[in-house]
Amino acid sequence: MLNLQEFIDTDIERLASTMLDNLAANEVRVFLWHHKLSRLDIQKYADICVSAEGKGGLSNICDKRFVEKVSVRVILYKLLGKDVRICYNENGAPYLSNKQYYISISHTDGHFALSFSHRKHGIDIERWNSTAKRVSKMFATEQEVAALVDTRTITDEDEKAFCTIWSAKESIYKSHDLEELSFRDGILLKKDAFSNLIAKVSYKEATFHDTIGYRLLPDCVLTICLPASV
């Protein structure tokens, strides 16, 4: 069973290492920081929270990317200290330098999320927008639209439903870390009797069945995919 726990706050100072205590085997714990700090404003956090080695990845990047990277590293620092770094594999998926937990990262327009679990997983956060609806044919089948949007299964608002479908597929993609997995043809979403989104993931000769938890927040959606244990 998928066990989700979230911590959502605008005050980063409230984060403490105890918030990762007793992390259950099937739990994904998400830490979400919302702020509108500029690069100049958040530089002071980088000076304190990012190791000298980690700062190497912050040079020569645009202001937006700088704020995104530092914000996630501030959350990490508050939870696990300065010595633990975020690294990336050959596909660009993040992992901790000490490999204590599996992690996933997402950010959107002032929201910065970092998640932890003892199992491989993926999270995504998307600000409500109209883009997903306009390009929905690129990632959603007619079957999915009929089951999840037209029936008002996710929400009464079409744009939010399409954003949620897109976000769910992003979290699935991250959780499996499979190159060239097709959002439209490789991931089919539907709803189960407990209001969870469930997905059939088809990749080459393999098939996976995932459960996706989601939270509809005032200005964004957060989705979490924890693939079934093998």
Side-chain angles (χ1 to χ4, degrees), residues 25-110:
N26 289 336
E27 182 181 352
V28 177
R29 199 166 293 181
V30 183
F31 298 86
L32 177 60
W33 185 22
H34 173 64
H35 69 75
K36 290 293 186 181
L37 298 175
S38 67
R39 179 172 187 150
L40 184 62
D41 294 332
I42 207 167
Q43 179 66 55
K44 62 181 180 182
Y45 288 104
D47 295 338
I48 297 170
C49 302
V50 183
S51 66
E53 187 174 359
K55 287 178 182 176
L58 298 177
S59 58
N60 300 318
I61 59 175
C62 68
D63 291 354
K64 180 176 182 291
R65 291 290 293 151
F66 183 88
V67 171
E68 291 170 348
K69 283 181 172 290
V70 172
S71 296
V72 170
R73 280 153 182 78
V74 170
I75 299 174
L76 179 66
Y77 170 81
K78 284 292 184 177
L79 294 165
L80 296 178
K82 195 171 185 175
D83 294 333
V84 182
R85 295 179 292 106
I86 295 174
C87 307
Y88 296 88
N89 68 14
E90 62 276 9
N91 292 332
Y95 66 92
L96 295 180
S97 57
N98 65 358
K99 299 184 178 180
Q100 183 179 359
Y101 302 100
Y102 288 97
I103 64 168
S104 187
I105 295 170
S106 189
H107 28 67
T108 181
D109 193 21

Side-chain angles (χ1 to χ4, degrees), residues 167-178:
S167 181
K169 294 195 176 190
E170 279 279 1
S171 64
I172 292 165
Y173 184 87
K174 291 178 181 179
S175 70
H176 288 284
D177 192 21
L178 297 172

Side-chain angles (χ1 to χ4, degrees), residues 6-220:
E6 298 169 44
F7 174 86
I8 300 176
D9 205 323
T10 57
D11 184 4
I12 196 65
E13 298 303 327
R14 286 184 53 186
L15 288 177
S17 59
T18 55
M19 293 207 172
L20 282 174
D21 288 353
N22 304 314
L23 183 65
N26 289 336
E27 182 181 352
V28 177
R29 199 166 293 181
V30 183
F31 298 86
L32 177 60
W33 185 22
H34 173 64
H35 69 75
K36 290 293 186 181
L37 298 175
S38 67
R39 179 172 187 150
L40 184 62
D41 294 332
I42 207 167
Q43 179 66 55
K44 62 181 180 182
Y45 288 104
D47 295 338
I48 297 170
C49 302
V50 183
S51 66
E53 187 174 359
K55 287 178 182 176
L58 298 177
S59 58
N60 300 318
I61 59 175
C62 68
D63 291 354
K64 180 176 182 291
R65 291 290 293 151
F66 183 88
V67 171
E68 291 170 348
K69 283 181 172 290
V70 172
S71 296
V72 170
R73 280 153 182 78
V74 170
I75 299 174
L76 179 66
Y77 170 81
K78 284 292 184 177
L79 294 165
L80 296 178
K82 195 171 185 175
D83 294 333
V84 182
R85 295 179 292 106
I86 295 174
C87 307
Y88 296 88
N89 68 14
E90 62 276 9
N91 292 332
Y95 66 92
L96 295 180
S97 57
N98 65 358
K99 299 184 178 180
Q100 183 179 359
Y101 302 100
Y102 288 97
I103 64 168
S104 187
I105 295 170
S106 189
H107 28 67
T108 181
D109 193 21
H111 294 80
F112 310 91
L114 175 63
S115 61
F116 299 81
S117 181
H118 292 298
R119 288 172 47 195
K120 196 172 180 181
H121 67 284
I123 66 167
D124 186 68
I125 186 167
E126 295 287 340
R127 189 172 182 85
W128 300 128
N129 64 79
S130 60
T131 303
K133 183 178 180 179
R134 290 201 307 270
V135 302
S136 60
K137 289 184 179 180
M138 297 175 61
F139 65 85
T141 65
E142 292 180 3
Q143 180 181 352
E144 289 172 309
V145 173
L148 300 174
V149 180
D150 295 344
T151 57
R152 300 293 188 261
T153 300
I154 295 176
T155 172
D156 288 339
E157 300 177 59
D158 285 2
E159 289 186 355
K160 290 185 176 181
F162 282 112
C163 278
T164 303
I165 293 171
W166 170 260
S167 181
K169 294 195 176 190
E170 279 279 1
S171 64
I172 292 165
Y173 184 87
K174 291 178 181 179
S175 70
H176 288 284
D177 192 21
L178 297 172
E179 260 190 304
E180 299 179 358
L181 174 63
S182 169
F183 276 35
R184 189 180 192 281
D185 301 319
I187 305 172
L188 182 62
L189 290 171
K190 62 181 181 179
K191 201 91 172 277
D192 69 9
F194 302 99
S195 296
N196 291 306
L197 285 172
I198 56 175
K200 178 182 178 182
V201 181
S202 303
Y203 182 75
K204 296 183 178 179
E205 302 301 318
T207 301
F208 311 94
H209 296 277
D210 297 338
T211 301
I212 301 90
Y214 66 96
R215 301 289 184 270
L216 305 181
L217 303 173
D219 54 356
C220 59

